[in-house]
Amino acid sequence: MPATSLGNNHITDIYMSALSSLSKEDKIILATKLLNSAAQTDKKKSKLDLRTCFKGDWFEGKTAKEAADELRKSRTFNRTVSTW
């Protein structure tokens, strides 16, 4: 895989600059996580799908129109506007 660069800066140099202020312990933890991530090449990387992420949480089994109607009906307005 080709190295990614931004202008004259290599992407890893940019990250190193940003992470240089981390403590030694934090750098070791980060390095361990990076190595573990690189070692898990067999696993498929799934994209975040918001529909499945919240499945069952909101309006299960309802159409978009039914869900929107329910939201509109549930609104409550308790603000009073004073007259001048």
Side-chain angles (χ1 to χ4, degrees):
M1 180 176 266
T4 304
S5 64
L6 300 172
N8 294 331
N9 294 328
H10 193 273
I11 190 75
T12 54
D13 293 332
I14 294 169
Y15 278 110
M16 284 304 298
S17 175
L19 300 173
S20 65
S21 65
L22 290 176
S23 69
K24 179 180 177 181
E25 292 80 18
D26 288 337
K27 288 178 183 177
I28 291 171
I29 292 169
L30 179 60
T32 303
K33 289 182 179 186
L34 285 170
L35 287 171
N36 288 339
S37 173
Q40 294 177 354
T41 57
D42 296 349
K43 292 185 178 181
K44 290 183 179 179
K45 294 183 179 181
S46 62
K47 293 181 180 178
L48 177 63
D49 184 4
L50 291 178
R51 291 172 293 165
T52 58
C53 183
F54 294 108
K55 185 174 177 149
D57 290 342
W58 293 352
F59 310 111
E60 186 68 26
K62 294 184 180 182
T63 66
K65 182 176 180 352
E66 291 170 335
D69 288 341
E70 188 174 323
L71 281 173
R72 282 187 196 97
K73 290 177 187 173
S74 69
R75 292 179 183 165
T76 57
F77 299 97
N78 58 5
R79 187 180 79 168
T80 57
V81 179
S82 58
T83 58
W84 292 57

